[in-house]
Amino acid sequence: MIKRGKIGVYLKELQHDVRNLLYPYTASKLTESKKNSIKDFVGAAGAYGVSHMLIFTQTENGNYLRLIKNPKGPTITFKIEEYALARDVIKHVTSKKKQAKIFTNILQAPPLLIMNGFTAAAQAEGNDVMKIVSLMLQSLFPPIKIHEMNLSTCKRVVMFNKTEGHSEENGQQKDGEIEFRHYGVSAR
């Protein structure tokens, strides 16, 4: 997980939050310098067994996240429309609940993945774009081995929800969005 160019303080914090989200399958202590290029990271990725790269960029038009599959692609670019930082969620929850246990030891196990709306979107569009996006997002997380899974280790869930597109007032068709959520869960 790297950044390209100058990014703002909040996007830097989002990068840190996404790094925590992907833990334990991320380089949590990766440092980068202005001299590093994407080719440097791609070259080192093979030696370290890195399968994906996430790149945060910021332009005057908005914030973007590029998801790159190593070594030969594909690359998908997402525009970040809205986001909430982990500290904002913690602040909100702790103001409502005094003894909240948030993000303590739950990051030690990988999250469970829930995908919603991608199959319908792929069938409606009639092309393979949504299939590729779905496969890329799924490959970020380890597969679940149901027979070997211990329910007590399931501490968090990541959900991707594909919303349908709609027509805007000016008559243009707006593509749907992919909503992304990270939940802490407890089994009782």
Side-chain angles (χ1 to χ4, degrees):
M1 181 156 331
I2 58 175
K3 62 179 174 57
R4 292 285 87 199
K6 289 186 175 185
I7 64 172
V9 176
Y10 297 118
L11 191 59
K12 224 179 256 189
E13 195 169 341
L14 178 65
Q15 178 188 10
H16 178 73
D17 289 347
V18 173
R19 199 174 268 180
N20 283 339
L21 166 95
L22 295 173
Y23 189 83
Y25 299 105
T26 187
S28 59
K29 296 181 182 178
L30 176 71
T31 57
E32 54 191 298
S33 69
K34 291 180 182 179
K35 295 178 185 176
N36 294 121
S37 68
I38 293 178
K39 286 183 182 181
D40 295 336
F41 291 108
V42 171
Y48 292 108
V50 175
S51 61
H52 294 80
M53 289 177 42
L54 280 77
I55 302 173
F56 286 89
T57 56
Q58 187 171 28
T59 67
E60 57 276 349
N61 295 330
N63 301 319
Y64 296 91
L65 171 65
R66 273 191 289 172
L67 176 59
I68 299 173
K69 175 87 167 118
N70 291 328
K72 295 185 179 184
T75 300
I76 301 173
T77 303
F78 299 100
K79 183 174 184 184
I80 302 170
E81 295 287 339
E82 297 177 45
Y83 59 91
L85 300 173
R87 69 178 163 110
D88 297 331
V89 174
I90 291 169
K91 184 178 177 183
H92 175 74
V93 171
T94 55
S95 69
K96 303 284 182 203
K97 206 175 177 184
K98 295 292 181 198
Q99 306 258 333
K101 297 177 185 176
I102 303 172
F103 300 130
T104 51
N105 294 327
I106 64 170
L107 295 176
Q108 301 304 317
L112 299 177
L113 177 65
I114 298 174
M115 306 278 293
N116 182 44
F118 286 89
T119 305
Q123 291 172 350
E125 292 180 15
N127 60 26
D128 293 336
V129 174
M130 274 301 120
K131 288 181 185 175
I132 292 170
V133 170
S134 175
L135 290 172
M136 286 281 287
L137 293 174
Q138 286 177 19
S139 65
L140 282 173
F141 302 94
I144 299 172
K145 298 174 184 168
I146 295 176
H147 300 295
E148 299 172 14
M149 190 171 100
N150 184 358
L151 191 58
S152 65
T153 62
C154 300
K155 300 290 184 187
R156 56 195 181 118
V157 173
V158 170
M159 183 182 77
F160 290 96
N161 180 38
K162 172 72 174 94
T163 62
E164 294 182 20
H166 61 277
S167 297
E168 293 187 341
E169 291 177 13
N170 59 7
Q172 291 184 346
Q173 182 69 18
K174 182 175 179 179
D175 293 336
E177 297 177 344
I178 298 175
E179 297 173 344
F180 166 71
R181 305 279 176 154
H182 184 210
Y183 298 100
V185 296
S186 61
R188 297 179 189 202

